[in-house]
Amino acid sequence: MLTLHADSRGRCLAVRGEWIAAVGTLEELIATHPQARVRQWPGILTPGLVNLHGPELLEQAYHPDPREADTLGTEPLTGDALAALPMDEARWGAGARRGVQRMLANGTVAVAGELRNRAVVAAVRRSGIGVVGRLGVPGGVPALDPFASGVPVEFPPERESGSAARFAVFDVLDEDELAERGGGSCVATVVAGRIVYRRR
């Protein structure tokens, strides 16, 4: 089934399965695809964000289960706090899944860096989030919101017909406001044609 995702500026992506079928204005795509389902989002459509600190956030940090909040808190554990935890593959995989979900909630559609932990690799692969290469270790501070890392934010290439259906919508007026408000303004993230995060 074809789904039209449109933003408040009238920009629209037609999604069929895991791919972008067409790009245009909502008016244009409704005219050419009158039977399509329409999703209208507040804010702006973007190709999503790339988090440059993939290994640091998923293999050098543990994202606690909410049921562990009383003892471990809610923020990622690193360094000595991580070293004190008994970690096995199951725990690494579960932590990575929670970390990826928090990334998706910030509009991240891909992480940069080589992942080597088998449980983490499996969790990332199942999520559908992309993995891209990087040169060396980026500066800044690893953060689930790429805008909070202190380094320039990277975006994937613009979506076009034939691109993977991977993008994010932010409830802002424009890119300048997005830079000010950061990933917390994300209202929806789409990966492999599926809405994997939607703000309630």
Side-chain angles (χ1 to χ4, degrees):
M1 181 177 184
L2 192 72
T3 301
L4 305 183
H5 292 266
D7 66 13
S8 59
R9 298 190 291 193
R11 183 165 185 255
C12 187
L13 300 175
V15 174
R16 178 178 283 112
E18 298 184 9
W19 305 97
I20 303 294
V23 177
T25 67
L26 178 58
E27 183 178 345
E28 291 169 344
L29 295 186
I30 285 179
T32 54
H33 305 284
Q35 303 303 316
R37 176 173 56 185
V38 177
R39 292 189 182 275
Q40 291 188 271
W41 301 102
I44 63 173
L45 279 166
T46 75
L49 308 176
V50 177
N51 194 307
L52 299 178
H53 296 95
E56 291 78 12
L57 287 168
L58 297 176
E59 295 186 333
Q60 299 171 30
Y62 173 69
H63 301 266
D65 188 300
R67 294 169 294 184
E68 300 173 307
D70 288 345
T71 54
L72 300 181
T74 59
E75 293 304 306
L77 301 179
T78 60
D80 291 342
L82 175 61
L85 290 179
M87 297 296 293
D88 56 19
E89 282 204 1
R91 200 171 198 183
W92 273 118
R97 286 193 295 274
R98 289 187 290 270
V100 167
Q101 284 300 315
R102 295 179 73 181
M103 289 180 174
L104 294 170
N106 281 284
T108 293
V109 298
V111 296
E114 183 181 4
L115 300 175
R116 299 180 179 180
N117 182 305
R118 289 189 305 173
V120 172
V121 170
V124 168
R125 184 178 296 121
R126 283 194 296 269
S127 76
I129 199 169
V131 179
V132 298
R134 70 182 190 189
L135 295 175
V137 178
V141 178
L144 293 165
D145 177 0
F147 286 98
S149 67
V151 295
V153 174
E154 290 195 10
F155 296 83
E158 285 293 331
R159 301 295 85 183
E160 57 188 22
S161 180
S163 295
R166 185 181 288 151
F167 54 91
V169 189
F170 297 90
D171 189 9
V172 295
L173 292 175
D174 53 30
E175 286 75 11
D176 289 339
E177 186 179 356
L178 173 57
E180 292 176 6
R181 293 182 54 194
S185 61
C186 181
V187 292
T189 304
V190 173
V191 170
R194 297 178 294 111
I195 299 174
V196 291
Y197 168 75
R198 182 172 186 172
R199 190 169 72 190
R200 296 178 180 177

